[in-house]
Amino acid sequence: MYILKVKGSAKIPDYIQIRDDDFTLIAYFRTENISTGLQQCKLQEKENEIKKIIDSISFGKIFKLPF
């Protein structure tokens, strides 16, 4: 799985994309709603790890999740 952090504009908020190994979109949520977004794609048990990754990566970068 991959995670992508996208910078919004004045009217569009920042958001997160989670994609599978084929780069198919699994989850798409705002950075303010990380917990809700992870519940939708059944990754809530990895929430703390994913939050740390989201805080550490730059906007516009793709990061391969280690799990």
Side-chain angles (χ1 to χ4, degrees):
M1 273 199 252
Y2 296 90
I3 191 162
L4 174 66
K5 187 175 177 182
V6 180
K7 181 74 173 161
S9 64
K11 293 183 180 183
I12 301 170
D14 301 342
Y15 63 92
I16 304 295
Q17 291 182 8
I18 296 180
R19 296 181 172 265
D20 67 7
D21 290 332
D22 295 327
F23 222 63
T24 303
L25 186 64
I26 302 294
Y28 174 87
F29 50 90
R30 295 167 69 169
T31 54
E32 302 91 40
N33 301 330
I34 294 172
S35 297
T36 305
L38 293 175
Q39 286 176 354
Q40 290 175 350
C41 62
K42 297 176 179 63
L43 288 173
Q44 63 269 17
E45 68 276 354
K46 307 249 188 226
E47 182 175 346
N48 290 333
E49 294 173 57
I50 293 174
K51 280 184 178 181
K52 288 178 188 176
I53 292 169
I54 289 170
D55 290 339
S56 67
I57 62 175
S58 302
F59 286 104
K61 300 295 180 185
I62 299 171
F63 183 85
K64 182 160 176 60
L65 294 173
F67 40 84

